Amino acid sequence: MRKQIILVSDSHRQTDCLKTIKEMYPNAYAFLHAGDSELPNYMLEGYACVKGNCDMYQEYDSEKVIPVDHHKILLVHGHRDIGYGSLHGLVMHAKKEGCDIVCFGHTHVPYDEVVDGVHLLNPGSLSHNRDGSLPSYRILYIDGNDVKSELLRYKN
């Protein structure tokens, strides 16, 4: 059965977009936030969240491993694993945790590539994408071994 997972990141104190996205996908399997919400956890009800470099609330874990079907998703902000523009640290981190998918943020730039057998997914930012594109989020579709994603633009 195909599962729909909503991935957001870098919303930076914005709450309306998070609420609207949850309302748009009432049947989603999960909602993941890859950090830099800059909000306390109670304001992100329904989202699995990790701590980003701008999150001052200590209630967030720095990472989560989420099993879905035959896959394991590493949810992490990425600021500790991305070095000098290289995503190699994310790939190594995922492999160490036994994950084949990484959902990350931090760069404010959408990304979807398989690197050394690890599917790296970044939804971009819900506040401001650094590549000049409109704010964005991503839908991850998992159906058994099949993994696909779709980038969507968020317009206020």
Side-chain angles (χ1 to χ4, degrees):
M1 181 176 172
R2 184 167 106 156
K3 293 178 175 65
Q4 182 183 59
I5 298 166
I6 310 303
L7 174 61
V8 302
S9 189
D10 298 279
S11 52
H12 293 284
R13 295 183 302 280
Q14 296 185 38
T15 56
D16 289 346
C17 56
L18 297 171
K19 181 180 175 189
T20 298
I21 288 171
K22 274 203 73 196
E23 291 169 354
M24 289 169 59
Y25 303 97
N27 298 317
Y29 179 78
F31 293 87
L32 307 181
H33 195 300
D36 277 0
S37 69
E38 296 186 66
L39 297 168
N41 201 20
Y42 74 88
M43 295 182 77
L44 291 157
E45 185 177 337
Y47 283 87
C49 305
V50 292
K51 187 174 186 170
N53 59 300
C54 293
D55 292 317
M56 299 304 135
Y57 301 96
Q58 297 303 316
E59 61 208 54
Y60 294 114
D61 294 326
S62 62
E63 65 185 59
K64 291 182 184 288
V65 174
I66 302 160
V68 179
D69 289 349
H70 309 295
H71 305 277
K72 286 172 89 177
I73 299 171
L74 175 63
L75 177 63
V76 62
H77 188 58
H79 62 292
R80 293 188 173 124
D81 295 308
I82 299 170
Y84 303 104
S86 171
L87 301 179
H88 182 72
L90 285 171
V91 172
M92 298 311 295
H93 189 161
K95 288 183 174 193
K96 178 182 170 208
E97 299 298 327
C99 297
D100 61 327
I101 302 169
V102 178
C103 294
F104 70 103
H106 187 60
T107 65
H108 291 231
V109 177
Y111 189 81
D112 180 354
E113 294 290 335
V114 176
V115 178
D116 199 17
V118 177
H119 203 142
L120 301 174
L121 297 166
N122 188 318
S125 170
L126 279 174
S127 63
H128 172 76
N129 278 341
R130 292 182 180 141
D131 64 357
S133 65
L134 292 173
S136 57
Y137 64 100
R138 193 173 283 286
I139 302 176
L140 173 61
Y141 300 100
I142 297 179
D143 189 358
N145 289 326
D146 192 33
V147 177
K148 294 183 178 163
S149 85
E150 178 182 7
L151 182 70
L152 296 156
R153 300 300 174 178
Y154 183 80
K155 299 174 187 167
N156 291 333

